[in-house]
Amino acid sequence: MAEFSVIGERLPRVDAREKVTGEAKYAADYSLPNMLWCKLLRSPYPHARILSIDTSKAERLPGVKAAVTAKDFGGWTWGWMPATRDEPPLAVDKVRYMAEAVAGVAAIDEDTAEEACQLIRVDYEELPGIFEPEEAMRESAPKVHDYVKNNISVEYHWNFGDVEKAFAESYIVREDRFRTSRATHGYLEPPAILAYYDPTGYITVWASKQSPYFHYRHLAACFKLPLSKVRVIQPFIGGGFGGTKNDSLAGDFCAVLLSKISGKPVKYVESMEEELVTSRRRHSMIVYSKMGAKKDGTLTAIHHQVVADGGGYTAVGPLSLYLAGFATTLPYRLPNFKYDAYRVFTNNPIGAAMRGHGITHTRFAAEIQMGMIAEELGIDPVEVRMRNAIDNPKPGTIYETINKVTLKTCGLKEAIQKVTEDPIWRDRNKTPRKEGSIFWGVGLSGTSYLGGARQMGHQSCAAIIRVCEDGTVNLITGATDCGQGSDTVLCMIAAEELGIKLEDVNIKRVDTAYTPVDPGSYGSRVTILAGQATQKAAREAKRQLLEAAAKTWQVKPEDVEIRERKVFITSDPERSMPFDKLARIACYSGTGAVILGTGYSSYGLEPLDLTNGIGNGGTSYSFTAQSARVGVDMETGKITVTDFTIASDCGRLLSPIQAEGQIEGASVQGMGQTIYEDFIVDRGKTLNPTLLDYKMPHSTDIPNIKLIDIVTNDPDGPFGAKETSEGSIVSTPPAVVSAIHDATGIWFKELPITPEKVVKALKEKL
Amino acid sequence: MKQIRLMVNGESHELSVPPWRTLLEVIREDLGLTGTKEGCSLGECGACTVIMDGRAVNSCLVLAAEADNKQITTIEGLAGSRGKLHPIQQAFVEHGGLQCGFCTPGMIMSAKALLDKTPTPTKEEIRRGIAGNLCRCTGYTKIIESIKAAAGNTEEK
């Protein structure tokens, strides 16, 4: 008999039908009778003092029902940590980035609300702005916030081993400056909310949030209500990828307050331009990387100095900088590591989280620099990686890095081996290197990402399994599927554990009034943590069912098994009954029990050590090796990516279709940030605030993607699973950059590598 | 205000619309067909794609007045009687051609317009056929596979 009957099967998503028929409702699709529309007035300056705001003219416009400014929020601010709660719903004394919201209006329709915003008079005193993070750190720079020195919003100094001694003893030491792009999530659903503050003092919202329980806490705090009076009903989410939809926004707070004032439901839908100019995007990071190695390419030390453009507020910045540091000791053995990181306030839009959070920046730098060192030493790119890669720990043993990150499984060496046996790498010198003006190159990378992210506060996910008397099951959890497919994975876990089929398990969207509190969907935590909770809940429900079966058959519960909807005695499979019959027996006979199984996750409970960077940031770690083949047009600088081969150690693929979709999608998103995507920001103003000018990959741009599955079966994940959603957005940039180097002989250190940069670099090389 | 008559998914609608109202606004707000999505409102993302007189159009760029007397098909008009999925929808379900689902209605309408004209497209023709539809989740690979699979099936319907 096969090991599993549901896990590992190529089953479609549980929400696929609703989504292909247009039935799936997203936040902007909800409406209520007598609903008003909210619009925001945004600042035309990146840095300006607000002298006065007059909304009276707007309020007199027919159709306008209410207007709000900062004073209506009573000085409330929020942020990721108590010490960094520096952001108000609407700008109070000054605006700190272009298009920061200063006022909100509710009117009978969107056009009237928009017109009313134009009637609000704001007197500003423009202040000198600061836009480059390194300049912002100077004593003389304009101050974005008064509560910090030199605009430094977050600062870490970690030191492991003795990097100076190691550099002194190294055969080779390189120092390079890298910079990552101003990239954003690029989901197609702009943030939206429908809010109703009802007369009993109870808030109900339908909001596009990938972590609805953050929003639930923010609303309770902002409106000084008990959590039990805040209800976030989760619509379908049109993509998340971290950052914006993981936080609350000006439009959310304004919609709720305007509803409170007007007594009517209020809807707010951001425009794509507002989204693109204000999104809580990936930080652009400058990474000064110093790396030492022995003559044989063995790494001796890394010292990273990071300066991140934080924009106007702190948001999730402390976590971004933590992640950019703690995992630098993966996936290669590193005996000495020093990290000096600065997140710096500027008058740019807010830097925050995005898929591959933190790690993608420093791993890009380290991976490219290792390639440069290998080239100088005359060592093959595969060999330098195999020589340094962490070995897969023997079962029962743990590998610990110098900063005490612990691994129980590591499939990197196997992944590198498989990728380099694949024709894209193996035959790279058999295919033509030049065709007309196109030069071809193939690159390689080996990277890691965390799964089951830890955090500072509430950590556990919970799940409830409710067995219905007809043998179907409701799975209730606070975990959010924002598109990644976690609802399907969780239902598969429940079905596997209970011995039933996927279609027997039903899951609904999160509703904070009914579903258990959950930290959120970020840091690739849902499959591992909500998965563990689901597994435990299903086991608990199954235990109760087996007791009922054992009682019926006069055997012991451990003698009974359930598989594929059939309940049977293990030693005598002929004695059996259908699952639905057992469900009826359990629910009706004897006590007439209600079969409820509950469970919560127990992985990763130790809090993050931000101060010293010691210990784990995740529960487990995925490993990815990737090759990329590119063609560079040496005349125009245009880069075409033709092939990716990606070998992922995700522990075990629970839901192959969903996992493949994650790896493919993340790699294409990674390709975008490597060669296309960048906000052009001139003195705080975004010059390309449309999807036409912010270049994301189209269907005509994508490579052929081949995936290879490396199974390591991690003990700290349901059925051995690790993360699968973010690994390839970390592995893609260095693979593509290495391929461009292979084609052109140039190591590019600043992303994205646009045609202009290629042409310029080729001219400089001549 | 302008009086217009739209044939949407086979049903006739008489509407009075201001001259600046877009077809997308009419579909979503006046007719309540929220399966058609609003992404960028500038014709750049394709989330609002519907079929108008046999052609895939960005409904955010079409004025409702321009759609007067036109045949419109939205995602809600694709499934057959008793909820039987259209072969393209079925293929997207089976081949994982969707994740968050926000681009999906528009993507499927573009795929339908393509397959109606080119029943057995090459991979390159599929890529070009959906080049006006952005998807941020899938990296397009499984969407292209889904359309390829649907192309194999459409003749059977």
Side-chain angles (χ1 to χ4, degrees):
Chain A
M1 200 187 273
E3 193 179 356
F4 302 116
S5 53
V6 181
I7 292 297
E9 295 296 308
R10 300 188 69 81
L11 299 170
R13 309 174 59 98
V14 296
D15 55 8
R17 194 186 163 91
E18 281 158 288
K19 287 177 173 175
V20 299
T21 54
E23 283 297 312
K25 282 204 181 324
Y26 298 74
D29 299 336
Y30 285 88
S31 293
L32 286 170
N34 302 315
M35 181 181 84
L36 304 177
W37 287 80
C38 167
K39 279 279 165 191
L40 302 181
L41 178 68
R42 295 179 176 277
S43 165
Y45 304 109
H47 199 197
R49 202 172 302 289
I50 298 170
L51 302 177
S52 66
I53 306 180
D54 181 0
T55 59
S56 57
K57 222 171 152 186
E59 285 171 276
R60 286 199 298 271
L61 184 74
V64 172
K65 301 295 176 190
V68 289
T69 63
K71 65 176 174 11
D72 299 302
F73 288 99
W76 183 79
T77 55
W78 90 104
W80 190 69
M81 298 199 304
T84 63
R85 290 189 182 141
D86 54 19
E87 190 173 3
L90 293 171
V92 182
D93 50 346
K94 64 174 187 172
V95 290
R96 293 180 169 87
Y97 64 94
M98 182 82 84
E100 184 175 357
V102 294
V105 169
I108 50 167
D109 56 40
E110 216 172 352
D111 290 346
T112 309
E114 210 163 319
E115 196 185 337
C117 283
Q118 288 161 18
L119 297 173
I120 297 172
R121 194 194 150 103
V122 185
D123 286 327
Y124 294 100
E125 177 196 338
E126 208 180 337
L127 298 168
I130 185 77
F131 307 101
E132 267 302 317
E134 288 182 298
E135 290 171 20
M137 292 168 76
R138 292 184 195 143
E139 195 85 43
S140 58
K143 298 282 172 280
V144 180
H145 286 273
D146 293 329
Y147 80 97
V148 297
K149 265 193 186 157
N150 301 336
N151 288 316
I152 294 169
S153 123
V154 176
E155 184 174 356
Y156 299 136
H157 302 283
W158 307 341
N159 204 345
F160 305 97
D162 187 342
V163 291
E164 291 314 322
K165 184 164 173 280
F167 288 134
E169 291 168 0
S170 293
Y171 178 79
I172 181 171
V173 175
R174 273 201 71 100
E175 292 186 58
D176 297 278
R177 183 186 192 266
F178 297 88
R179 184 158 193 172
T180 56
S181 57
R182 301 173 184 277
T184 200
H185 320 92
Y187 39 67
L188 297 185
E189 180 208 22
I193 186 170
L194 172 59
Y196 185 42
Y197 196 120
D198 73 33
T200 68
Y202 195 113
I203 296 174
T204 302
V205 300
W206 291 259
S208 49
K209 300 293 170 197
Q210 67 184 79
S211 299
Y213 288 91
F214 284 147
H215 192 49
Y216 149 90
R217 292 188 176 106
H218 294 158
L219 291 180
C222 179
F223 293 94
K224 296 175 180 57
L225 286 177
L227 286 166
S228 54
K229 286 194 168 186
V230 177
R231 183 175 180 194
V232 181
I233 302 176
Q234 183 101 84
F236 282 95
I237 307 301
F241 314 117
T244 312
K245 289 184 187 171
N246 239 344
D247 208 334
S248 299
L249 306 172
D252 301 322
F253 294 114
C254 287
V256 174
L257 183 56
L258 288 163
S259 175
K260 184 180 179 185
I261 295 169
S262 66
K264 295 179 194 302
V266 176
K267 182 166 170 173
Y268 172 76
V269 183
E270 204 146 88
S271 72
M272 188 56 80
E273 182 172 345
E274 285 177 296
E275 154 64 22
L276 291 175
V277 300
T278 65
S279 75
R280 284 146 201 265
R281 71 273 322 268
R282 198 194 276 305
H283 288 82
S284 170
M285 288 192 193
I286 299 159
V287 182
Y288 291 94
S289 187
K290 185 174 180 183
M291 180 181 274
K294 294 182 188 168
K295 195 175 182 179
D296 67 357
T298 307
L299 298 183
T300 54
I302 291 178
H303 180 197
H304 274 170
Q305 295 181 75
V306 169
V307 179
D309 185 349
Y313 294 96
T314 303
V316 73
L319 183 60
S320 310
L321 277 277
Y322 167 84
L323 293 170
F326 99 95
T328 303
T329 51
L330 299 177
Y332 303 106
R333 289 188 308 275
L334 187 65
N336 301 283
F337 171 51
K338 191 164 187 267
Y339 183 57
D340 294 293
Y342 303 88
R343 181 185 187 275
V344 186
F345 287 128
T346 63
N347 296 113
N348 290 323
I350 300 166
M354 181 175 158
R355 192 184 211 172
H357 194 188
I359 294 178
T360 183
H361 309 268
T362 41
R363 180 45 50 196
F364 154 67
E367 189 73 1
I368 296 306
Q369 202 171 33
M370 190 169 75
M372 296 165 113
I373 283 179
E375 186 184 35
E376 281 189 50
L377 294 172
I379 299 173
D380 179 80
V382 183
E383 200 172 326
V384 75
R385 287 177 174 80
M386 290 302 265
R387 199 163 283 171
N388 285 292
I390 293 167
D391 286 300
N392 193 11
K394 291 194 171 64
T397 66
I398 291 173
Y399 174 85
E400 188 177 88
T401 69
I402 184 131
N403 56 333
K404 298 194 187 304
V405 173
T406 54
L407 305 178
K408 292 182 181 168
T409 57
C410 173
L412 183 63
K413 282 193 171 176
E414 191 186 342
I416 293 172
Q417 192 196 328
K418 292 271 168 64
V419 160
T420 51
E421 285 166 5
D422 175 77
I424 296 298
W425 182 266
R426 189 192 63 207
D427 300 340
R428 67 195 186 284
N429 294 321
K430 292 182 192 157
T431 50
R433 301 285 297 181
K434 293 178 193 176
E435 285 173 296
S437 62
I438 311 290
F439 283 32
W440 294 98
V442 179
L444 182 69
S445 68
T447 62
S448 176
Y449 199 78
L450 67 133
R454 291 159 202 263
Q455 58 166 40
M456 306 294 286
H458 171 76
Q459 170 72 4
S460 284
C461 297
I464 301 164
I465 291 279
R466 190 169 69 185
V467 179
C468 304
E469 61 201 35
D470 61 358
T472 63
V473 165
N474 293 111
L475 168 58
I476 300 158
T477 156
T480 287
D481 189 336
C482 45
Q484 79 274 37
S486 60
D487 279 358
T488 305
V489 173
L490 298 181
C491 288
M492 287 174 76
I493 289 171
E496 182 70 48
E497 283 293 344
L498 286 164
I500 53 179
K501 291 190 184 289
L502 178 61
E503 57 265 36
D504 299 332
V505 184
N506 287 284
I507 189 166
K508 287 286 176 199
R509 308 293 297 170
V510 170
D511 180 335
T512 62
Y514 302 110
T515 49
V517 67
D518 184 276
S521 296
Y522 56 87
S524 282
R525 62 196 311 295
V526 182
T527 294
I528 297 172
L529 302 177
Q532 189 197 20
T534 302
Q535 193 171 33
K536 286 181 169 182
R539 284 177 183 170
E540 171 54 24
K542 187 179 177 184
R543 186 191 62 74
Q544 298 171 40
L545 290 168
L546 292 181
E547 272 179 14
K551 204 173 153 193
T552 307
W553 282 327
Q554 298 294 306
V555 295
K556 289 184 190 142
E558 52 270 32
D559 298 335
V560 185
E561 187 48 288
I562 313 174
R563 277 188 87 104
E564 301 189 22
R565 293 183 180 150
K566 188 178 154 191
V567 188
F568 55 93
I569 295 174
T570 322
S571 58
D572 181 11
E574 292 302 305
R575 284 183 73 189
S576 69
M577 66 175 127
F579 183 81
D580 59 342
K581 187 174 173 193
L582 173 58
R584 268 192 303 278
I585 290 171
C587 294
Y588 291 162
S589 68
T591 59
V594 175
I595 307 295
L596 281 179
T598 61
Y600 59 87
S601 63
S602 55
Y603 298 133
L605 294 177
E606 309 85 51
L608 295 176
D609 177 2
L610 302 184
T611 316
N612 302 303
I614 297 171
N616 282 299
T619 298
S620 56
Y621 302 87
S622 73
F623 295 90
T624 308
Q626 178 174 355
S627 66
R629 183 168 184 267
V630 308
V632 181
D633 188 320
M634 302 296 271
E635 287 172 6
T636 65
K638 184 176 191 288
I639 296 166
T640 308
V641 182
T642 59
D643 298 273
F644 283 159
T645 301
I646 306 170
S648 306
D649 161 20
C650 306
R652 180 193 304 282
L653 293 190
L654 305 186
S655 180
I657 293 178
Q658 272 56 254
E660 290 161 9
Q662 287 299 296
I663 298 165
E664 289 161 357
S667 70
V668 170
Q669 212 171 23
M671 181 183 94
Q673 80 189 32
T674 310
I675 60 173
Y676 304 130
E677 293 177 37
D678 199 22
F679 282 119
I680 314 296
V681 184
D682 178 28
R683 303 188 60 75
K685 184 176 165 66
T686 302
L687 301 182
N688 53 340
T690 66
L691 292 178
L692 191 64
D693 295 321
Y694 178 83
K695 301 284 186 198
M696 304 199 297
H698 284 251
S699 52
T700 43
D701 301 320
I702 60 151
N704 294 310
I705 304 174
K706 182 174 171 185
L707 304 180
I708 299 168
D709 178 23
I710 308 293
V711 182
T712 53
N713 201 13
D714 198 276
D716 291 340
F719 303 102
K722 302 195 283 189
E723 79 85 25
T724 185
S725 293
E726 305 191 67
S728 68
I729 204 168
V730 180
S731 61
T732 297
V736 171
V737 173
S738 301
I740 295 167
H741 167 260
D742 190 45
T744 63
I746 299 166
W747 287 111
F748 286 88
K749 298 188 239 178
E750 290 201 7
L751 302 180
I753 305 166
T754 56
E756 294 90 323
K757 283 188 196 163
V758 173
V759 168
K760 191 163 169 271
L762 288 171
K763 277 190 183 151
E764 282 167 4
K765 197 187 157 200
L766 285 175
Chain B
M1 299 298 264
K2 185 172 161 51
Q3 301 300 316
I4 58 166
R5 196 171 142 268
L6 299 181
M7 284 295 286
V8 180
N9 302 331
E11 276 182 38
S12 174
H13 299 270
E14 309 268 340
L15 294 145
S16 175
V17 294
W20 57 83
R21 197 155 179 84
T22 64
L23 178 60
L24 174 63
E25 289 169 320
V26 167
I27 289 171
R28 282 182 58 84
E29 290 166 31
D30 298 331
L31 307 184
L33 297 171
T34 55
T36 303
K37 301 302 175 199
E38 180 173 11
C40 69
S41 312
L42 293 171
E44 294 159 358
C45 76
C48 65
T49 305
V50 299
I51 295 175
M52 183 165 84
D53 282 357
R55 285 180 54 221
V57 296
N58 286 313
S59 61
C60 71
L61 295 186
V62 177
L63 290 172
E66 291 177 273
D68 188 18
N69 284 315
K70 297 260 166 61
Q71 296 278 346
I72 316 283
T73 309
T74 71
I75 190 71
E76 289 90 346
L78 215 51
S81 58
R82 290 190 293 275
K84 185 171 160 43
L85 294 182
H86 183 278
I88 300 173
Q89 292 172 314
Q90 190 60 38
F92 271 65
V93 170
E94 285 170 16
H95 295 268
L98 68 145
Q99 287 184 27
C100 84
F102 199 80
C103 77
T104 307
M107 197 64 87
I108 288 176
M109 297 319 284
S110 286
K112 180 166 192 309
L114 169 72
L115 295 185
D116 286 347
K117 273 214 176 74
T118 314
T120 51
T122 62
K123 200 170 163 186
E124 210 37 53
E125 285 170 324
I126 295 174
R127 284 177 182 237
R128 281 203 303 274
I130 56 167
N133 294 73
L134 283 170
C135 168
R136 192 57 157 176
C137 298
T138 64
Y140 305 100
T141 302
K142 289 196 166 11
I143 292 177
I144 294 165
E145 287 167 14
S146 300
I147 297 172
K148 191 105 186 110
N153 282 338
T154 37
E155 282 150 354
E156 296 164 16
K157 72 175 172 181

